[in-house]
């Protein structure tokens, strides 16, 4: 996608359902345009998202990834009753405007109780729901149960529990993670396959400084 920054922001502002104008996270050059670059770098065909609100991140994926096939999300509608239906509409409209084939989409309000039996592998999981540590730990556990090649998540650098949950999980599994430091509020990336190539591609994707976080602080 050539120069996605302007296009993505314009597209999000033009979707049928939007948050209050002027919201910093909606307008930031370092959020949705960078999500587009991260999605293009990882190029998943299926994405599971936990925390979708009005669907901006998935709408970004819908226009950034022509080969995207399936999106699923979990959102308990804590921000806005009925937001899952509005998100579905935003994602559909974004996809239509991009001129790509429609996506298979599915959403629910709670992590399914039969998560362990679902066996529904999703190439990428994006975590952006409740940022308290216990909730992020649960979301990460769900991502591993579903099965994925990569987990990313927002607000790593905000006060809350995102960083603690990611560090604890990565230490337990003895795996590394990356942090896109200049992404608005920080984005973590846990590559589960081919981490060296993911790092190399991200470094080329113009998404600012990347910190490599080895398990146990590299000790
Ligand atoms: C920051 S918004 C997500 C923004 C979205 N990813 C985007 O970029 O457009 C967080 C969402 O998480 C949802 N949420 C909060 N707690 C949750 C939970 N325990 N389970 C699922 N969703 C939750 C809220 O309803 C809200 O819609």
């Amino acid at each position: 996608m050539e120069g996605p920054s302007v296009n993505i922001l314009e597209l999000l502002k033009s979707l049928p359902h939007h948050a209050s104008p002027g919201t910093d996270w909606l307008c930031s050059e370092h959020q949705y345009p960078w999500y587009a670059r991260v999605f293009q770098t990882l190029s998943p065909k299926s994405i599971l998202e936990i925390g979708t609100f009005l669907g901006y991140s998935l709408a970004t994926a819908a226009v950034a990834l022509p080969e995207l096939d399936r999106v699923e999300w979990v959102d308990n509608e804590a921000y806005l009753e009925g937001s899952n239906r509005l998100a579905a509409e935003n994602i559909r409209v974004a996809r239509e405007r991009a001129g790509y084939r429609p996506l298979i989409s599915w959403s629910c309000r709670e992590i399914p109780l039969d998560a362990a039996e679902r066996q529904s592998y999703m190439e990428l999981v994006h975590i952006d729901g409740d940022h308290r540590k216990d909730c992020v730990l649960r979301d990460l556990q769900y991502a591993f149960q579903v099965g994925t090649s990569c987990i990313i998540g927002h607000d790593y650098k905000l006060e809350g529990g995102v960083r603690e949950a990611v560090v604890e999980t990565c230490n337990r599994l003895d795996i590394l993670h990356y942090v896109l430091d200049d992404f608005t509020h920080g984005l973590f990336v846990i590559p589960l396959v081919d981490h060296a190539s993911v790092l190399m591609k991200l470094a080329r994707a113009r998404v600012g400084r990347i910190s490599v976080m080895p398990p146990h602080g590299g000790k």
Side-chain angles (χ1 to χ4, degrees):
M1 180 177 295
E2 193 53 34
S5 31
V6 174
N7 296 342
I8 293 291
L9 293 177
E10 289 308 311
L11 175 105
L12 294 179
K13 282 185 214 149
S14 76
L15 290 178
H17 308 291
H18 45 87
S20 358
T23 320
D24 65 339
W25 51 268
L26 177 57
C27 299
S28 167
E29 289 286 341
H30 291 182
Q31 186 153 328
Y32 294 104
W34 284 19
Y35 266 123
R37 293 179 193 168
V38 170
F39 288 137
Q40 287 170 334
T41 299
L42 301 170
S43 62
K45 293 196 176 57
S46 52
I47 302 179
L48 167 66
E49 184 171 76
I50 303 166
T52 296
F53 188 37
L54 296 173
Y56 296 122
S57 34
L58 287 178
T60 301
V63 298
L65 296 170
E67 299 306 320
L68 186 65
D69 196 43
R70 193 157 52 105
V71 290
E72 297 189 3
W73 68 91
V74 182
D75 193 300
N76 65 2
E77 303 192 339
Y79 279 20
L80 180 68
E81 188 65 30
S83 63
N84 285 336
R85 187 182 57 78
L86 305 181
E89 219 167 297
N90 274 346
I91 295 161
R92 183 185 54 75
V93 169
R95 187 73 175 172
E96 252 173 40
R97 298 226 177 116
Y100 304 142
R101 66 176 182 279
L103 296 171
I104 299 165
S105 69
W106 178 83
S107 67
C108 60
R109 289 181 67 141
E110 297 294 336
I111 286 178
L113 290 175
D114 62 348
E117 280 85 49
R118 284 189 65 220
Q119 300 284 319
S120 173
Y121 176 90
M122 301 296 279
E123 283 185 28
L124 177 68
V125 177
H126 176 224
I127 296 178
D128 192 17
D130 189 322
H131 293 337
R132 284 173 295 180
K133 182 181 173 189
D134 282 358
C135 297
V136 182
L137 283 173
R138 179 207 55 196
D139 296 346
L140 286 165
Q141 187 190 8
Y142 179 48
F144 284 106
Q145 283 173 337
V146 166
T148 185
S149 300
C150 190
I151 305 171
I152 65 173
H154 194 218
D155 293 334
Y156 184 90
K157 296 172 86 168
L158 276 191
E159 289 286 313
V162 177
R163 189 183 62 80
E164 278 178 62
V166 170
V167 169
E168 186 173 305
T169 300
C170 289
N171 284 347
R172 185 170 52 80
L173 299 173
D174 208 25
I175 55 176
L176 55 67
H177 64 283
Y178 305 131
V179 181
L180 308 195
D181 287 301
D182 302 325
F183 198 104
T184 306
H185 305 315
L187 189 86
F188 72 82
V189 178
I190 306 176
L192 297 168
V193 290
D194 207 2
H195 58 82
S197 121
V198 169
L199 178 61
M200 204 170 65
K201 288 188 212 158
L202 281 172
R204 288 201 203 110
R206 294 176 295 122
V207 283
R209 200 171 71 126
I210 303 173
S211 296
V212 178
M213 313 295 283
H216 310 287
K219 291 176 204 135

